[in-house]
């Protein structure tokens, strides 16, 4: 369960897409996870860094990455998550909250909106903005951003 939640946190995939991942979805040479979204059948290719690579190395090297979670329906996964949260005294979050959190984190660090939108599979910028609306964005001084000295700077 912990690895499943950690992967949701890192990649922002829907819970059904994450639970359906198999080891064969991972391209270790390109450092990507590729799959077809269950909701609309569109391809998704997500690059990953060292944190996700370390996590993926702890999972099965063939077949389902999350064998127990992959057997459950979305409602059952959501119910198990809700029950665990309730038992821990945590309220107000769901498995879907991981997608909102990913969108907010992406926005707060200046990740280009079109990349975040693609990562989450949102065809509508309005939907994506609704996901990221709770982000706390700290803007760098314009002069640092323009000169490229800010750590969030993008080429102009």
């Amino acid at each position: 369960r912990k690895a499943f939640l950690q992967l949701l946190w890192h990649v922002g995939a829907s819970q059904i897409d994450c639970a359906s991942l198999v080891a064969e979805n991972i391209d270790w040479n390109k450092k990507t996870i590729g799959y077809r979204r269950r909701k609309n059948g569109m391809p998704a290719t997500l690059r990953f860094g060292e944190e996700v690579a370390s996590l993926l190395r702890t999972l099965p090297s063939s077949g389902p990455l999350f064998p127990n979670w992959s057997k459950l329906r979305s409602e059952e996964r959501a119910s198990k998550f809700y029950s665990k949260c309730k038992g821990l005294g945590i309220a107000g979050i769901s498995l879907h909250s991981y997608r909102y959190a990913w969108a907010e984190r992406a926005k707060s660090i200046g990740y280009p909106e079109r990349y975040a939108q693609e990562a989450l599979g949102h065809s509508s910028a309005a939907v994506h903005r609704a996901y990221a609306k709770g982000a706390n964005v700290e803007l760098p001084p314009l002069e640092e951003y323009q000169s490229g000295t800010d750590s969030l700077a993008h080429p102009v």
Side-chain angles (χ1 to χ4, degrees), residues 3-4 6-14 17-37 42-49 51-57 59 65-66 102 118-119:
F4 176 70
Q6 286 175 325
L7 195 58
L8 283 178
W9 175 259
H10 283 291
V11 301
S14 69
D17 288 340
C18 190
S20 301
L21 290 174
V22 294
E24 293 74 19
N25 293 128
I26 301 168
D27 183 328
W28 286 101
N29 293 324
K30 293 180 181 178
K31 289 188 124 181
T32 60
I33 300 171
Y35 59 93
R36 290 211 169 265
R37 297 180 194 283
M42 297 298 293
T45 304
L46 309 170
R47 290 191 59 212
F48 59 86
E51 279 187 65
V52 171
S54 294
L55 172 63
L56 292 173
R57 285 186 201 103
L59 301 174
L65 294 181
F66 307 103
W102 191 95
E118 183 68 28

Side-chain angles (χ1 to χ4, degrees), residues 3-154:
F4 176 70
L5 297 176
Q6 286 175 325
L7 195 58
L8 283 178
W9 175 259
H10 283 291
V11 301
S14 69
Q15 59 125 329
I16 192 165
D17 288 340
C18 190
S20 301
L21 290 174
V22 294
E24 293 74 19
N25 293 128
I26 301 168
D27 183 328
W28 286 101
N29 293 324
K30 293 180 181 178
K31 289 188 124 181
T32 60
I33 300 171
Y35 59 93
R36 290 211 169 265
R37 297 180 194 283
R38 296 283 298 266
K39 187 174 183 178
N40 60 15
M42 297 298 293
T45 304
L46 309 170
R47 290 191 59 212
F48 59 86
E50 195 47 47
E51 279 187 65
V52 171
S54 294
L55 172 63
L56 292 173
R57 285 186 201 103
T58 69
L59 301 174
S61 58
S62 66
L65 294 181
F66 307 103
N68 295 330
W69 286 94
S70 67
K71 294 174 189 170
L72 302 175
R73 293 185 342 252
S74 293
E75 298 80 18
E76 293 171 311
R77 282 187 296 274
S79 179
K80 285 181 175 290
F81 182 78
Y82 174 80
S83 295
K84 187 66 170 176
C85 287
K86 187 176 179 183
L88 294 170
I90 301 169
I93 67 165
S94 66
L95 281 175
H96 202 71
S97 297
Y98 282 82
R99 287 176 58 78
Y100 284 100
W102 191 95
E104 290 172 358
R105 288 178 21 246
K107 182 176 180 178
S108 69
I109 65 164
Y111 199 60
E113 183 179 57
R114 65 189 174 105
Y115 291 167
Q117 195 175 328
E118 183 68 28
L120 294 174
H122 294 153
S123 57
S124 162
V127 169
H128 178 72
R129 288 182 188 127
Y131 268 66
K133 72 179 179 201
N136 181 18
V137 180
E138 185 177 312
L139 301 173
L142 184 58
E143 62 193 75
E144 289 179 19
Y145 185 86
Q146 188 174 15
S147 70
T149 60
D150 182 76
S151 63
L152 299 179
H154 302 283

